[in-house]
Amino acid sequence: MAALATPVTRPFPPLEGVEHRYVEAGGLRFHVAEAGSGEPLVMLHGWPQHWYEWRNQIPELAKHYRVICPDLRGFGWSDAPPSGYDKETLAEDMVNVLDALGLERVKLVGHDWGGWCGFLICMNHPERVERFLALNIPPPWGKTDLRTFAAIWRFWYQAVLATPLGRRVLESRPGFVGYLIRGMSPDEDAFTDEELAAFTEPLREPARANATTQLYRTFLLREFPAIARGAYADKRLTTPTLLLFGTKDFAISTAFLRGYEPYVDDFTLELVPDCGHFIEEEKPQLVTERALEFFGAGAGAG
């Protein structure tokens, strides 16, 4: 299976003020959605989404910043090569995109796997990130005790997606992903049917279904065991960081939010009650307000 060599012809979901372009970075073509002007603010999406994840935040943030929303490898309109879905590679992809865009230092937001990539970028390239806002993703350190392992059952859907069966489900049954997004959220009205389709339909393409399978297979078989063994024990987070975490996250238990304290310098954790994994959709105004406050765009905005 070859990487996608040309931009996808699938139309972009409409969002006023957003412009789209492609950049070549590290041998792949990445789609980037942009809006606004000023200091660069990069926003990295998670699974199973793409740049459109930030549709509720872009209009307000673009009044203050040049908002830049890339699609990760294998997602949205970016190339979907057959391999390279370990998270270190995904993070380096985004550093390559920063280079291609001529951005030396940025403010950074990341949700889910985009948030994990954000942590890796901050640790591996601290000079590139001024401040980091993470959403519903734990830091790459944690306690490996009974409480942690008791929460692993929440990864059941990842185990399904990591198999050839999971790939076939993605290609033939988009309702499965829609169920994961909407059916397990405390707020079933956070997504319209059209918004769900915008995220689930691209995953039916064979190369993108494969991307999801590789993403989770790599995590479950290689990365999670390594993290449990302390893979990042020699790393430190020096970037000022705010983590917003919806406590009703169906996938990630708050049990994973323990044990990071010795590895961070300037870190704030804010737990958000009555909110699930998709915090940027379930609590859009809160996320926007916290971003404006954290990045210093002025009090009372929004």
Side-chain angles (χ1 to χ4, degrees), residues 1-6 8 28-29 72-83 85 205-211:
M1 183 188 303
L4 301 180
T6 58
V8 179
L28 297 177
R29 178 182 281 113
L72 300 180
R73 165 191 303 235
F75 291 88
W77 286 258
S78 290
D79 278 354
S83 60
Y85 294 96
E205 300 167 9
R208 299 186 190 283
N210 174 69

mmCIF file with all atom_site columns, all heavy atoms in Angstrom, residues 1-6 8 28-29 72-83 85 205-211:
data_model
loop_
_atom_site.group_PDB
_atom_site.id
_atom_site.type_symbol
_atom_site.label_atom_id
_atom_site.label_alt_id
_atom_site.label_comp_id
_atom_site.label_asym_id
_atom_site.label_entity_id
_atom_site.label_seq_id
_atom_site.pdbx_PDB_ins_code
_atom_site.Cartn_x
_atom_site.Cartn_y
_atom_site.Cartn_z
_atom_site.occupancy
_atom_site.B_iso_or_equiv
_atom_site.pdbx_formal_charge
_atom_site.auth_seq_id
_atom_site.auth_comp_id
_atom_site.auth_asym_id
_atom_site.auth_atom_id
_atom_site.pdbx_PDB_model_num
ATOM 1   N N   . MET A 1 1   ? 0.850   -1.191 0.000  1.00 0.00 ? 1   MET A N   1
ATOM 2   C CA  . MET A 1 1   ? 0.000   0.000  0.000  1.00 0.00 ? 1   MET A CA  1
ATOM 3   C C   . MET A 1 1   ? 0.885   1.241  0.000  1.00 0.00 ? 1   MET A C   1
ATOM 4   O O   . MET A 1 1   ? 1.695   1.432  0.901  1.00 0.00 ? 1   MET A O   1
ATOM 5   C CB  . MET A 1 1   ? -0.901  0.007  1.241  1.00 0.00 ? 1   MET A CB  1
ATOM 6   C CG  . MET A 1 1   ? -1.882  1.161  1.310  1.00 0.00 ? 1   MET A CG  1
ATOM 7   S SD  . MET A 1 1   ? -2.705  1.166  2.916  1.00 0.00 ? 1   MET A SD  1
ATOM 8   C CE  . MET A 1 1   ? -3.407  -0.482 2.923  1.00 0.00 ? 1   MET A CE  1
ATOM 9   N N   . ALA A 1 2   ? 0.761   2.065  -0.983 1.00 0.00 ? 2   ALA A N   1
ATOM 10  C CA  . ALA A 1 2   ? 1.592   3.251  -1.086 1.00 0.00 ? 2   ALA A CA  1
ATOM 11  C C   . ALA A 1 2   ? 0.945   4.417  -0.355 1.00 0.00 ? 2   ALA A C   1
ATOM 12  O O   . ALA A 1 2   ? -0.257  4.454  -0.134 1.00 0.00 ? 2   ALA A O   1
ATOM 13  C CB  . ALA A 1 2   ? 1.795   3.615  -2.564 1.00 0.00 ? 2   ALA A CB  1
ATOM 14  N N   . ALA A 1 3   ? 1.770   5.386  0.003  1.00 0.00 ? 3   ALA A N   1
ATOM 15  C CA  . ALA A 1 3   ? 1.238   6.600  0.594  1.00 0.00 ? 3   ALA A CA  1
ATOM 16  C C   . ALA A 1 3   ? 0.401   7.336  -0.443 1.00 0.00 ? 3   ALA A C   1
ATOM 17  O O   . ALA A 1 3   ? 0.599   7.194  -1.643 1.00 0.00 ? 3   ALA A O   1
ATOM 18  C CB  . ALA A 1 3   ? 2.392   7.492  1.071  1.00 0.00 ? 3   ALA A CB  1
ATOM 19  N N   . LEU A 1 4   ? -0.553  8.122  0.056  1.00 0.00 ? 4   LEU A N   1
ATOM 20  C CA  . LEU A 1 4   ? -1.351  8.921  -0.853 1.00 0.00 ? 4   LEU A CA  1
ATOM 21  C C   . LEU A 1 4   ? -0.453  9.980  -1.474 1.00 0.00 ? 4   LEU A C   1
ATOM 22  O O   . LEU A 1 4   ? 0.154   10.788 -0.780 1.00 0.00 ? 4   LEU A O   1
ATOM 23  C CB  . LEU A 1 4   ? -2.510  9.568  -0.101 1.00 0.00 ? 4   LEU A CB  1
ATOM 24  C CG  . LEU A 1 4   ? -3.463  8.586  0.591  1.00 0.00 ? 4   LEU A CG  1
ATOM 25  C CD1 . LEU A 1 4   ? -4.565  9.359  1.298  1.00 0.00 ? 4   LEU A CD1 1
ATOM 26  C CD2 . LEU A 1 4   ? -4.060  7.615  -0.406 1.00 0.00 ? 4   LEU A CD2 1
ATOM 27  N N   . ALA A 1 5   ? -0.352  9.999  -2.782 1.00 0.00 ? 5   ALA A N   1
ATOM 28  C CA  . ALA A 1 5   ? 0.612   10.858 -3.461 1.00 0.00 ? 5   ALA A CA  1
ATOM 29  C C   . ALA A 1 5   ? 0.041   12.211 -3.835 1.00 0.00 ? 5   ALA A C   1
ATOM 30  O O   . ALA A 1 5   ? 0.772   13.129 -4.160 1.00 0.00 ? 5   ALA A O   1
ATOM 31  C CB  . ALA A 1 5   ? 1.134   10.162 -4.719 1.00 0.00 ? 5   ALA A CB  1
ATOM 32  N N   . THR A 1 6   ? -1.275  12.362 -3.814 1.00 0.00 ? 6   THR A N   1
ATOM 33  C CA  . THR A 1 6   ? -1.901  13.614 -4.200 1.00 0.00 ? 6   THR A CA  1
ATOM 34  C C   . THR A 1 6   ? -2.938  14.001 -3.158 1.00 0.00 ? 6   THR A C   1
ATOM 35  O O   . THR A 1 6   ? -3.431  13.154 -2.417 1.00 0.00 ? 6   THR A O   1
ATOM 36  C CB  . THR A 1 6   ? -2.596  13.484 -5.573 1.00 0.00 ? 6   THR A CB  1
ATOM 37  O OG1 . THR A 1 6   ? -3.563  12.437 -5.499 1.00 0.00 ? 6   THR A OG1 1
ATOM 38  C CG2 . THR A 1 6   ? -1.589  13.162 -6.659 1.00 0.00 ? 6   THR A CG2 1
ATOM 39  N N   . VAL A 1 8   ? -6.301  14.666 -1.229 1.00 0.00 ? 8   VAL A N   1
ATOM 40  C CA  . VAL A 1 8   ? -7.589  13.988 -1.287 1.00 0.00 ? 8   VAL A CA  1
ATOM 41  C C   . VAL A 1 8   ? -8.602  14.943 -1.914 1.00 0.00 ? 8   VAL A C   1
ATOM 42  O O   . VAL A 1 8   ? -8.621  16.140 -1.632 1.00 0.00 ? 8   VAL A O   1
ATOM 43  C CB  . VAL A 1 8   ? -8.029  13.588 0.131  1.00 0.00 ? 8   VAL A CB  1
ATOM 44  C CG1 . VAL A 1 8   ? -9.387  12.902 0.110  1.00 0.00 ? 8   VAL A CG1 1
ATOM 45  C CG2 . VAL A 1 8   ? -6.984  12.679 0.762  1.00 0.00 ? 8   VAL A CG2 1
ATOM 46  N N   . LEU A 1 28  ? 6.223   13.567 3.277  1.00 0.00 ? 28  LEU A N   1
ATOM 47  C CA  . LEU A 1 28  ? 4.777   13.394 3.194  1.00 0.00 ? 28  LEU A CA  1
ATOM 48  C C   . LEU A 1 28  ? 4.109   14.741 2.938  1.00 0.00 ? 28  LEU A C   1
ATOM 49  O O   . LEU A 1 28  ? 4.685   15.800 3.203  1.00 0.00 ? 28  LEU A O   1
ATOM 50  C CB  . LEU A 1 28  ? 4.217   12.796 4.488  1.00 0.00 ? 28  LEU A CB  1
ATOM 51  C CG  . LEU A 1 28  ? 4.684   11.386 4.867  1.00 0.00 ? 28  LEU A CG  1
ATOM 52  C CD1 . LEU A 1 28  ? 4.087   10.995 6.215  1.00 0.00 ? 28  LEU A CD1 1
ATOM 53  C CD2 . LEU A 1 28  ? 4.315   10.364 3.810  1.00 0.00 ? 28  LEU A CD2 1
ATOM 54  N N   . ARG A 1 29  ? 2.882   14.674 2.429  1.00 0.00 ? 29  ARG A N   1
ATOM 55  C CA  . ARG A 1 29  ? 2.091   15.877 2.231  1.00 0.00 ? 29  ARG A CA  1
ATOM 56  C C   . ARG A 1 29  ? 1.057   15.969 3.350  1.00 0.00 ? 29  ARG A C   1
ATOM 57  O O   . ARG A 1 29  ? 0.270   15.054 3.558  1.00 0.00 ? 29  ARG A O   1
ATOM 58  C CB  . ARG A 1 29  ? 1.393   15.849 0.871  1.00 0.00 ? 29  ARG A CB  1
ATOM 59  C CG  . ARG A 1 29  ? 0.498   17.063 0.618  1.00 0.00 ? 29  ARG A CG  1
ATOM 60  C CD  . ARG A 1 29  ? -0.217  16.988 -0.708 1.00 0.00 ? 29  ARG A CD  1
ATOM 61  N NE  . ARG A 1 29  ? 0.666   17.370 -1.800 1.00 0.00 ? 29  ARG A NE  1
ATOM 62  C CZ  . ARG A 1 29  ? 1.091   16.532 -2.745 1.00 0.00 ? 29  ARG A CZ  1
ATOM 63  N NH1 . ARG A 1 29  ? 0.702   15.268 -2.725 1.00 0.00 ? 29  ARG A NH1 1
ATOM 64  N NH2 . ARG A 1 29  ? 1.873   16.948 -3.712 1.00 0.00 ? 29  ARG A NH2 1
ATOM 65  N N   . LEU A 1 72  ? -2.958  15.072 11.270 1.00 0.00 ? 72  LEU A N   1
ATOM 66  C CA  . LEU A 1 72  ? -1.882  14.125 11.512 1.00 0.00 ? 72  LEU A CA  1
ATOM 67  C C   . LEU A 1 72  ? -1.775  13.120 10.367 1.00 0.00 ? 72  LEU A C   1
ATOM 68  O O   . LEU A 1 72  ? -2.726  12.926 9.600  1.00 0.00 ? 72  LEU A O   1
ATOM 69  C CB  . LEU A 1 72  ? -2.131  13.371 12.817 1.00 0.00 ? 72  LEU A CB  1
ATOM 70  C CG  . LEU A 1 72  ? -2.227  14.190 14.112 1.00 0.00 ? 72  LEU A CG  1
ATOM 71  C CD1 . LEU A 1 72  ? -2.481  13.255 15.288 1.00 0.00 ? 72  LEU A CD1 1
ATOM 72  C CD2 . LEU A 1 72  ? -0.978  15.020 14.334 1.00 0.00 ? 72  LEU A CD2 1
ATOM 73  N N   . ARG A 1 73  ? -0.645  12.500 10.268 1.00 0.00 ? 73  ARG A N   1
ATOM 74  C CA  . ARG A 1 73  ? -0.437  11.410 9.313  1.00 0.00 ? 73  ARG A CA  1
ATOM 75  C C   . ARG A 1 73  ? -1.583  10.397 9.408  1.00 0.00 ? 73  ARG A C   1
ATOM 76  O O   . ARG A 1 73  ? -1.935  9.942  10.495 1.00 0.00 ? 73  ARG A O   1
ATOM 77  C CB  . ARG A 1 73  ? 0.897   10.736 9.661  1.00 0.00 ? 73  ARG A CB  1
ATOM 78  C CG  . ARG A 1 73  ? 1.139   9.401  9.036  1.00 0.00 ? 73  ARG A CG  1
ATOM 79  C CD  . ARG A 1 73  ? 2.339   8.699  9.652  1.00 0.00 ? 73  ARG A CD  1
ATOM 80  N NE  . ARG A 1 73  ? 3.573   9.471  9.568  1.00 0.00 ? 73  ARG A NE  1
ATOM 81  C CZ  . ARG A 1 73  ? 4.709   9.052  9.029  1.00 0.00 ? 73  ARG A CZ  1
ATOM 82  N NH1 . ARG A 1 73  ? 4.781   7.831  8.510  1.00 0.00 ? 73  ARG A NH1 1
ATOM 83  N NH2 . ARG A 1 73  ? 5.783   9.811  9.026  1.00 0.00 ? 73  ARG A NH2 1
ATOM 84  N N   . GLY A 1 74  ? -2.177  10.078 8.251  1.00 0.00 ? 74  GLY A N   1
ATOM 85  C CA  . GLY A 1 74  ? -3.228  9.075  8.216  1.00 0.00 ? 74  GLY A CA  1
ATOM 86  C C   . GLY A 1 74  ? -4.617  9.599  8.498  1.00 0.00 ? 74  GLY A C   1
ATOM 87  O O   . GLY A 1 74  ? -5.579  8.826  8.448  1.00 0.00 ? 74  GLY A O   1
ATOM 88  N N   . PHE A 1 75  ? -4.760  10.888 8.775  1.00 0.00 ? 75  PHE A N   1
ATOM 89  C CA  . PHE A 1 75  ? -6.053  11.450 9.142  1.00 0.00 ? 75  PHE A CA  1
ATOM 90  C C   . PHE A 1 75  ? -6.441  12.599 8.220  1.00 0.00 ? 75  PHE A C   1
ATOM 91  O O   . PHE A 1 75  ? -5.582  13.258 7.625  1.00 0.00 ? 75  PHE A O   1
ATOM 92  C CB  . PHE A 1 75  ? -6.027  11.941 10.594 1.00 0.00 ? 75  PHE A CB  1
ATOM 93  C CG  . PHE A 1 75  ? -5.949  10.833 11.595 1.00 0.00 ? 75  PHE A CG  1
ATOM 94  C CD1 . PHE A 1 75  ? -4.724  10.330 11.996 1.00 0.00 ? 75  PHE A CD1 1
ATOM 95  C CD2 . PHE A 1 75  ? -7.097  10.266 12.120 1.00 0.00 ? 75  PHE A CD2 1
ATOM 96  C CE1 . PHE A 1 75  ? -4.638  9.296  12.907 1.00 0.00 ? 75  PHE A CE1 1
ATOM 97  C CE2 . PHE A 1 75  ? -7.027  9.232  13.032 1.00 0.00 ? 75  PHE A CE2 1
ATOM 98  C CZ  . PHE A 1 75  ? -5.801  8.744  13.430 1.00 0.00 ? 75  PHE A CZ  1
ATOM 99  N N   . GLY A 1 76  ? -7.735  12.842 8.152  1.00 0.00 ? 76  GLY A N   1
ATOM 100 C CA  . GLY A 1 76  ? -8.228  13.989 7.406  1.00 0.00 ? 76  GLY A CA  1
ATOM 101 C C   . GLY A 1 76  ? -7.822  13.975 5.957  1.00 0.00 ? 76  GLY A C   1
ATOM 102 O O   . GLY A 1 76  ? -8.172  13.071 5.190  1.00 0.00 ? 76  GLY A O   1
ATOM 103 N N   . TRP A 1 77  ? -7.026  14.966 5.579  1.00 0.00 ? 77  TRP A N   1
ATOM 104 C CA  . TRP A 1 77  ? -6.601  15.127 4.189  1.00 0.00 ? 77  TRP A CA  1
ATOM 105 C C   . TRP A 1 77  ? -5.088  14.989 4.037  1.00 0.00 ? 77  TRP A C   1
ATOM 106 O O   . TRP A 1 77  ? -4.562  15.223 2.960  1.00 0.00 ? 77  TRP A O   1
ATOM 107 C CB  . TRP A 1 77  ? -7.067  16.490 3.666  1.00 0.00 ? 77  TRP A CB  1
ATOM 108 C CG  . TRP A 1 77  ? -8.543  16.529 3.404  1.00 0.00 ? 77  TRP A CG  1
ATOM 109 C CD1 . TRP A 1 77  ? -9.163  16.447 2.185  1.00 0.00 ? 77  TRP A CD1 1
ATOM 110 C CD2 . TRP A 1 77  ? -9.589  16.634 4.368  1.00 0.00 ? 77  TRP A CD2 1
ATOM 111 N NE1 . TRP A 1 77  ? -10.525 16.493 2.333  1.00 0.00 ? 77  TRP A NE1 1
ATOM 112 C CE2 . TRP A 1 77  ? -10.825 16.610 3.666  1.00 0.00 ? 77  TRP A CE2 1
ATOM 113 C CE3 . TRP A 1 77  ? -9.625  16.742 5.749  1.00 0.00 ? 77  TRP A CE3 1
ATOM 114 C CZ2 . TRP A 1 77  ? -12.048 16.696 4.303  1.00 0.00 ? 77  TRP A CZ2 1
ATOM 115 C CZ3 . TRP A 1 77  ? -10.849 16.825 6.395  1.00 0.00 ? 77  TRP A CZ3 1
ATOM 116 C CH2 . TRP A 1 77  ? -12.043 16.802 5.667  1.00 0.00 ? 77  TRP A CH2 1
ATOM 117 N N   . SER A 1 78  ? -4.396  14.597 5.102  1.00 0.00 ? 78  SER A N   1
ATOM 118 C CA  . SER A 1 78  ? -2.952  14.361 5.015  1.00 0.00 ? 78  SER A CA  1
ATOM 119 C C   . SER A 1 78  ? -2.679  12.986 4.427  1.00 0.00 ? 78  SER A C   1
ATOM 120 O O   . SER A 1 78  ? -3.561  12.121 4.383  1.00 0.00 ? 78  SER A O   1
ATOM 121 C CB  . SER A 1 78  ? -2.308  14.467 6.404  1.00 0.00 ? 78  SER A CB  1
ATOM 122 O OG  . SER A 1 78  ? -2.318  15.800 6.866  1.00 0.00 ? 78  SER A OG  1
ATOM 123 N N   . ASP A 1 79  ? -1.444  12.780 3.977  1.00 0.00 ? 79  ASP A N   1
ATOM 124 C CA  . ASP A 1 79  ? -1.057  11.484 3.437  1.00 0.00 ? 79  ASP A CA  1
ATOM 125 C C   . ASP A 1 79  ? -1.243  10.388 4.478  1.00 0.00 ? 79  ASP A C   1
ATOM 126 O O   . ASP A 1 79  ? -1.110  10.619 5.686  1.00 0.00 ? 79  ASP A O   1
ATOM 127 C CB  . ASP A 1 79  ? 0.407   11.507 2.997  1.00 0.00 ? 79  ASP A CB  1
ATOM 128 C CG  . ASP A 1 79  ? 0.600   12.105 1.609  1.00 0.00 ? 79  ASP A CG  1
ATOM 129 O OD1 . ASP A 1 79  ? -0.410  12.402 0.948  1.00 0.00 ? 79  ASP A OD1 1
ATOM 130 O OD2 . ASP A 1 79  ? 1.766   12.260 1.195  1.00 0.00 ? 79  ASP A OD2 1
ATOM 131 N N   . ALA A 1 80  ? -1.536  9.196  3.994  1.00 0.00 ? 80  ALA A N   1
ATOM 132 C CA  . ALA A 1 80  ? -1.752  8.041  4.868  1.00 0.00 ? 80  ALA A CA  1
ATOM 133 C C   . ALA A 1 80  ? -0.833  6.908  4.440  1.00 0.00 ? 80  ALA A C   1
ATOM 134 O O   . ALA A 1 80  ? -1.262  5.959  3.773  1.00 0.00 ? 80  ALA A O   1
ATOM 135 C CB  . ALA A 1 80  ? -3.208  7.603  4.824  1.00 0.00 ? 80  ALA A CB  1
ATOM 136 N N   . PRO A 1 81  ? 0.445   6.972  4.819  1.00 0.00 ? 81  PRO A N   1
ATOM 137 C CA  . PRO A 1 81  ? 1.368   5.888  4.460  1.00 0.00 ? 81  PRO A CA  1
ATOM 138 C C   . PRO A 1 81  ? 1.028   4.612  5.215  1.00 0.00 ? 81  PRO A C   1
ATOM 139 O O   . PRO A 1 81  ? 0.269   4.643  6.195  1.00 0.00 ? 81  PRO A O   1
ATOM 140 C CB  . PRO A 1 81  ? 2.735   6.443  4.881  1.00 0.00 ? 81  PRO A CB  1
ATOM 141 C CG  . PRO A 1 81  ? 2.419   7.386  5.992  1.00 0.00 ? 81  PRO A CG  1
ATOM 142 C CD  . PRO A 1 81  ? 1.095   8.011  5.638  1.00 0.00 ? 81  PRO A CD  1
ATOM 143 N N   . PRO A 1 82  ? 1.577   3.483  4.797  1.00 0.00 ? 82  PRO A N   1
ATOM 144 C CA  . PRO A 1 82  ? 1.233   2.216  5.442  1.00 0.00 ? 82  PRO A CA  1
ATOM 145 C C   . PRO A 1 82  ? 1.812   2.037  6.830  1.00 0.00 ? 82  PRO A C   1
ATOM 146 O O   . PRO A 1 82  ? 1.360   1.165  7.581  1.00 0.00 ? 82  PRO A O   1
ATOM 147 C CB  . PRO A 1 82  ? 1.791   1.163  4.473  1.00 0.00 ? 82  PRO A CB  1
ATOM 148 C CG  . PRO A 1 82  ? 2.873   1.871  3.735  1.00 0.00 ? 82  PRO A CG  1
ATOM 149 C CD  . PRO A 1 82  ? 2.426   3.294  3.605  1.00 0.00 ? 82  PRO A CD  1
ATOM 150 N N   . SER A 1 83  ? 2.808   2.847  7.204  1.00 0.00 ? 83  SER A N   1
ATOM 151 C CA  . SER A 1 83  ? 3.454   2.668  8.504  1.00 0.00 ? 83  SER A CA  1
ATOM 152 C C   . SER A 1 83  ? 3.838   4.035  9.069  1.00 0.00 ? 83  SER A C   1
ATOM 153 O O   . SER A 1 83  ? 3.582   5.074  8.468  1.00 0.00 ? 83  SER A O   1
ATOM 154 C CB  . SER A 1 83  ? 4.695   1.776  8.361  1.00 0.00 ? 83  SER A CB  1
ATOM 155 O OG  . SER A 1 83  ? 5.630   2.362  7.463  1.00 0.00 ? 83  SER A OG  1
ATOM 156 N N   . TYR A 1 85  ? 3.137   4.944  12.556 1.00 0.00 ? 85  TYR A N   1
ATOM 157 C CA  . TYR A 1 85  ? 2.105   5.430  13.461 1.00 0.00 ? 85  TYR A CA  1
ATOM 158 C C   . TYR A 1 85  ? 2.480   5.304  14.933 1.00 0.00 ? 85  TYR A C   1
ATOM 159 O O   . TYR A 1 85  ? 1.608   5.404  15.806 1.00 0.00 ? 85  TYR A O   1
ATOM 160 C CB  . TYR A 1 85  ? 0.776   4.739  13.145 1.00 0.00 ? 85  TYR A CB  1
ATOM 161 C CG  . TYR A 1 85  ? 0.296   5.151  11.772 1.00 0.00 ? 85  TYR A CG  1
ATOM 162 C CD1 . TYR A 1 85  ? 0.556   4.347  10.650 1.00 0.00 ? 85  TYR A CD1 1
ATOM 163 C CD2 . TYR A 1 85  ? -0.327  6.370  11.572 1.00 0.00 ? 85  TYR A CD2 1
ATOM 164 C CE1 . TYR A 1 85  ? 0.170   4.748  9.384  1.00 0.00 ? 85  TYR A CE1 1
ATOM 165 C CE2 . TYR A 1 85  ? -0.712  6.778  10.307 1.00 0.00 ? 85  TYR A CE2 1
ATOM 166 C CZ  . TYR A 1 85  ? -0.464  5.965  9.217  1.00 0.00 ? 85  TYR A CZ  1
ATOM 167 O OH  . TYR A 1 85  ? -0.839  6.374  7.961  1.00 0.00 ? 85  TYR A OH  1
ATOM 168 N N   . GLU A 1 205 ? -11.918 4.912  4.129  1.00 0.00 ? 205 GLU A N   1
ATOM 169 C CA  . GLU A 1 205 ? -10.916 4.740  3.081  1.00 0.00 ? 205 GLU A CA  1
ATOM 170 C C   . GLU A 1 205 ? -9.873  3.736  3.566  1.00 0.00 ? 205 GLU A C   1
ATOM 171 O O   . GLU A 1 205 ? -9.387  3.837  4.698  1.00 0.00 ? 205 GLU A O   1
ATOM 172 C CB  . GLU A 1 205 ? -10.267 6.079  2.751  1.00 0.00 ? 205 GLU A CB  1
ATOM 173 C CG  . GLU A 1 205 ? -11.266 7.114  2.247  1.00 0.00 ? 205 GLU A CG  1
ATOM 174 C CD  . GLU A 1 205 ? -10.693 8.524  2.212  1.00 0.00 ? 205 GLU A CD  1
ATOM 175 O OE1 . GLU A 1 205 ? -9.463  8.677  2.425  1.00 0.00 ? 205 GLU A OE1 1
ATOM 176 O OE2 . GLU A 1 205 ? -11.462 9.468  1.988  1.00 0.00 ? 205 GLU A OE2 1
ATOM 177 N N   . PRO A 1 206 ? -9.508  2.752  2.753  1.00 0.00 ? 206 PRO A N   1
ATOM 178 C CA  . PRO A 1 206 ? -8.612  1.687  3.223  1.00 0.00 ? 206 PRO A CA  1
ATOM 179 C C   . PRO A 1 206 ? -7.319  2.192  3.859  1.00 0.00 ? 206 PRO A C   1
ATOM 180 O O   . PRO A 1 206 ? -6.894  1.664  4.903  1.00 0.00 ? 206 PRO A O   1
ATOM 181 C CB  . PRO A 1 206 ? -8.338  0.876  1.956  1.00 0.00 ? 206 PRO A CB  1
ATOM 182 C CG  . PRO A 1 206 ? -9.569  1.070  1.131  1.00 0.00 ? 206 PRO A CG  1
ATOM 183 C CD  . PRO A 1 206 ? -10.002 2.486  1.386  1.00 0.00 ? 206 PRO A CD  1
ATOM 184 N N   . ALA A 1 207 ? -6.691  3.204  3.268  1.00 0.00 ? 207 ALA A N   1
ATOM 185 C CA  . ALA A 1 207 ? -5.426  3.683  3.822  1.00 0.00 ? 207 ALA A CA  1
ATOM 186 C C   . ALA A 1 207 ? -5.626  4.303  5.202  1.00 0.00 ? 207 ALA A C   1
ATOM 187 O O   . ALA A 1 207 ? -4.748  4.192  6.068  1.00 0.00 ? 207 ALA A O   1
ATOM 188 C CB  . ALA A 1 207 ? -4.789  4.702  2.875  1.00 0.00 ? 207 ALA A CB  1
ATOM 189 N N   . ARG A 1 208 ? -6.774  4.925  5.417  1.00 0.00 ? 208 ARG A N   1
ATOM 190 C CA  . ARG A 1 208 ? -7.019  5.574  6.707  1.00 0.00 ? 208 ARG A CA  1
ATOM 191 C C   . ARG A 1 208 ? -7.527  4.576  7.744  1.00 0.00 ? 208 ARG A C   1
ATOM 192 O O   . ARG A 1 208 ? -7.243  4.718  8.943  1.00 0.00 ? 208 ARG A O   1
ATOM 193 C CB  . ARG A 1 208 ? -7.983  6.745  6.521  1.00 0.00 ? 208 ARG A CB  1
ATOM 194 C CG  . ARG A 1 208 ? -7.393  7.766  5.580  1.00 0.00 ? 208 ARG A CG  1
ATOM 195 C CD  . ARG A 1 208 ? -8.174  9.036  5.419  1.00 0.00 ? 208 ARG A CD  1
ATOM 196 N NE  . ARG A 1 208 ? -7.573  9.762  4.306  1.00 0.00 ? 208 ARG A NE  1
ATOM 197 C CZ  . ARG A 1 208 ? -6.427  10.445 4.376  1.00 0.00 ? 208 ARG A CZ  1
ATOM 198 N NH1 . ARG A 1 208 ? -5.778  10.502 5.531  1.00 0.00 ? 208 ARG A NH1 1
ATOM 199 N NH2 . ARG A 1 208 ? -5.933  11.045 3.322  1.00 0.00 ? 208 ARG A NH2 1
ATOM 200 N N   . ALA A 1 209 ? -8.259  3.569  7.305  1.00 0.00 ? 209 ALA A N   1
ATOM 201 C CA  . ALA A 1 209 ? -8.611  2.489  8.217  1.00 0.00 ? 209 ALA A CA  1
ATOM 202 C C   . ALA A 1 209 ? -7.340  1.786  8.698  1.00 0.00 ? 209 ALA A C   1
ATOM 203 O O   . ALA A 1 209 ? -7.202  1.462  9.886  1.00 0.00 ? 209 ALA A O   1
ATOM 204 C CB  . ALA A 1 209 ? -9.541  1.497  7.526  1.00 0.00 ? 209 ALA A CB  1
ATOM 205 N N   . ASN A 1 210 ? -6.409  1.571  7.779  1.00 0.00 ? 210 ASN A N   1
ATOM 206 C CA  . ASN A 1 210 ? -5.130  0.977  8.155  1.00 0.00 ? 210 ASN A CA  1
ATOM 207 C C   . ASN A 1 210 ? -4.374  1.864  9.137  1.00 0.00 ? 210 ASN A C   1
ATOM 208 O O   . ASN A 1 210 ? -3.728  1.371  10.069 1.00 0.00 ? 210 ASN A O   1
ATOM 209 C CB  . ASN A 1 210 ? -4.268  0.732  6.916  1.00 0.00 ? 210 ASN A CB  1
ATOM 210 C CG  . ASN A 1 210 ? -2.877  0.255  7.263  1.00 0.00 ? 210 ASN A CG  1
ATOM 211 O OD1 . ASN A 1 210 ? -2.678  -0.849 7.734  1.00 0.00 ? 210 ASN A OD1 1
ATOM 212 N ND2 . ASN A 1 210 ? -1.887  1.125  7.043  1.00 0.00 ? 210 ASN A ND2 1
ATOM 213 N N   . ALA A 1 211 ? -4.451  3.178  8.944  1.00 0.00 ? 211 ALA A N   1
ATOM 214 C CA  . ALA A 1 211 ? -3.766  4.101  9.844  1.00 0.00 ? 211 ALA A CA  1
ATOM 215 C C   . ALA A 1 211 ? -4.266  3.932  11.277 1.00 0.00 ? 211 ALA A C   1
ATOM 216 O O   . ALA A 1 211 ? -3.468  3.885  12.224 1.00 0.00 ? 211 ALA A O   1
ATOM 217 C CB  . ALA A 1 211 ? -3.968  5.539  9.379  1.00 0.00 ? 211 ALA A CB  1
#
